[in-house]
């Protein structure tokens, strides 16, 4: 059927609107990338938009010479990997149990879980609980409090309830218990949901800077985003790089093109690009994984 001029005008308007929104969303990231590759002294004069005016790698040379940042990067990677794996596994286990109608007290447990989505103890009670558990200034304070996600559990549970019951009945006939059925049948069939929720969980761990800023005081346990937050709050290069080794400090003194803003943009790119590069590998699971887990209650 041939479209009339009104439909064509509407489609043109929609495409222009989407292109504009995409540009407004992507441009700040691109501009930060451009500034990170531009001489800091030149950036101060303004006018840096789409391309570096004075290309330089000095900002990244300083960043990668800072042992504190490399240690923060390692902590973030370790936290993301361990936190995502443990959270997804425990959440899936809880959801599998909640999907069984024969579970005693199933409704009460469900209400108990859901209430935690709407009500929390607040920052101070949480701080007191963390301190009483001996998790202060510990790597595990970034892992244990977020092991179970109720929202992810609901998505998992809904997906498990949609699986054919005959699969589990066949497994029981073959001698599989609940554990064997879960690990040998349920998890392999849950690939799209696991991939989608794993990405969301990983992004949450990678981007979290607030919790470490409260519970961690040791510099060697600070993750990358908390380190970046401190950098962005710094006003000068000297305040940011006051603790780097003497060789890097001497190198910094030789680099007249490095400024606080250009250095901050370089660190921001180092903190952002790793998690951004993960998206293309799991993008195909987004729609399928979320929709499969949310078709019915």
């Amino acid at each position: 059927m041939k479209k009339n001029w009104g439909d064509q005008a509407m489609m043109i308007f929609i495409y222009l609107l989407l292109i504009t929104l995409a540009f407004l969303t992507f441009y700040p990231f691109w501009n930060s990338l451009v500034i990170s590759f531009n001489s800091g002294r030149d950036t101060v004069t303004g006018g840096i938009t789409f391309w570096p005016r004075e290309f330089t790698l000095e900002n990244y040379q300083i960043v990668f010479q800072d042992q504190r940042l490399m240690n923060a990067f390692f902590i973030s990677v370790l936290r993301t990997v361990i936190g995502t794996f443990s959270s997804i596994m425990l959440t899936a286990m809880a959801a599998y149990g909640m999907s069984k109608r024969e579970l005693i007290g199933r409704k009460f447990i469900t209400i108990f879980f859901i209430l935690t989505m709407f009500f929390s103890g607040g920052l101070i009670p949480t701080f007191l609980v963390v301190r009483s558990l001996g998790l202060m200034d510990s790597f595990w304070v970034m892992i244990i409090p977020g092991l179970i996600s109720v929202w992810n559990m609901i998505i998992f549970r809904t997906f498990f309830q949609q699986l054919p019951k005959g699969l589990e009945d066949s497994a029981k006939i073959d001698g599989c218990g609940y554990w064997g059925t879960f690990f040998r049948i349920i998890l392999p069939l849950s690939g799209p949901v696991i991939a989608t929720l794993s990405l969301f969980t990983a992004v949450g761990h990678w981007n979290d800077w607030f919790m470490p800023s409260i519970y961690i005081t040791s510099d060697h346990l600070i993750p990358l985003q908390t380190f970046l937050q401190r950098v962005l709050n710094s006003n000068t290069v000297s305040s940011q790089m006051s603790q780097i080794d003497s060789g890097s400090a001497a190198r910094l003194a030789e680099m007249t093109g490095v400024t606080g803003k250009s250095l901050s943009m370089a660190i921001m790119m180092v903190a952002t690009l790793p998690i951004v590069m993960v998206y293309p590998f799991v993008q195909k699971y987004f729609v399928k994984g979320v929709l499969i887990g949310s078709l019915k209650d």
Side-chain angles (χ1 to χ4, degrees):
M1 182 177 179
K2 188 176 181 180
K3 296 182 179 180
N4 56 40
W5 67 269
D7 293 336
Q8 293 178 352
M10 179 60 67
M11 291 301 298
I12 293 175
F13 172 77
I14 292 175
Y15 278 114
L16 290 176
L17 178 62
L18 292 177
I19 291 174
T20 302
L21 292 176
F23 173 78
L24 293 176
T25 303
F26 179 72
Y27 178 73
F29 175 82
W30 177 256
N31 185 250
S32 299
L33 180 64
V34 169
I35 292 176
S36 70
F37 282 108
N38 195 75
S39 172
R41 302 291 183 183
D42 179 68
T43 302
V44 173
T45 62
I48 305 299
T49 54
F50 296 101
W51 306 105
R53 192 161 51 206
E54 292 186 10
F55 182 83
T56 182
L57 295 176
E58 291 182 342
N59 301 310
Y60 287 96
Q61 291 176 17
I62 289 296
V63 166
F64 288 110
Q65 287 176 2
D66 188 356
Q67 294 301 318
R68 295 176 302 154
L69 185 138
M70 293 296 99
N71 180 77
F73 184 86
F74 173 76
I75 292 295
S76 287
V77 172
L78 194 64
R79 174 194 179 179
T80 302
V81 172
I82 296 177
T84 301
F85 176 79
S86 57
S87 177
I88 291 298
M89 289 302 299
L90 290 178
T91 302
M93 290 179 188
Y96 181 63
M98 297 296 296
S99 68
K100 301 303 173 186
R101 298 188 180 278
E102 62 269 24
L103 177 66
I104 299 176
R106 177 171 174 266
K107 291 185 178 180
F108 171 79
I109 298 174
T110 301
I111 295 175
F112 178 80
F113 273 115
I114 292 178
L115 283 176
T116 63
M117 297 177 62
F118 301 99
F119 303 98
S120 67
L123 182 60
I124 295 178
T126 302
F127 179 88
L128 296 176
V129 171
V130 169
R131 187 177 65 177
S132 65
L133 293 175
L135 295 176
M136 294 294 295
D137 200 25
S138 167
F139 173 79
W140 297 106
V141 76
M142 298 182 285
I143 305 295
I144 294 178
L147 281 177
I148 299 294
S149 169
V150 179
W151 176 255
N152 291 348
M153 187 195 73
I154 293 175
I155 295 178
F156 267 125
R157 186 196 66 175
T158 305
F159 174 76
F160 294 156
Q161 289 175 340
Q162 295 177 20
L163 294 176
K165 187 172 176 52
L167 293 174
E168 296 191 47
D169 293 337
S170 300
K172 291 180 180 179
I173 294 175
D174 292 337
C176 273
Y178 286 113
W179 288 104
T181 303
F182 176 74
F183 284 106
R184 297 181 181 181
I185 297 178
I186 302 301
L187 280 186
L189 293 175
S190 308
V193 178
I194 291 177
T196 304
L197 297 183
S198 294
L199 178 64
F200 294 157
T201 305
V203 170
H205 277 290
W206 184 268
N207 289 336
D208 179 36
W209 64 269
F210 184 69
M211 177 181 288
S213 67
I214 296 176
Y215 300 118
I216 293 181
T217 58
S218 300
D219 289 340
H220 68 280
L221 291 176
I222 293 295
L224 187 58
Q225 298 299 336
T226 305
F227 182 83
L228 174 60
Q229 185 266 341
R230 295 180 178 180
V231 171
L232 295 179
N233 286 339
S234 300
N235 295 322
T236 62
V237 178
S238 59
S239 63
Q240 162 55 26
M241 291 297 174
S242 59
Q243 299 179 14
I244 62 178
D245 57 87
S246 57
S248 299
R251 178 62 176 163
L252 177 61
E254 297 174 0
M255 294 180 175
T256 58
V258 178
T259 63
K261 182 177 181 179
S262 63
L263 191 63
S264 298
M265 294 300 105
I267 297 177
M268 186 184 300
M269 289 299 105
V270 173
T272 305
L273 287 178
I275 198 66
V276 170
M277 294 173 63
V278 176
Y279 274 88
F281 297 99
V282 293
Q283 184 178 8
K284 62 181 180 180
Y285 296 110
F286 280 2
V287 177
K288 183 178 179 181
V290 173
L291 290 182
I292 282 178
S294 59
L295 288 177
K296 66 178 182 179
D297 185 21

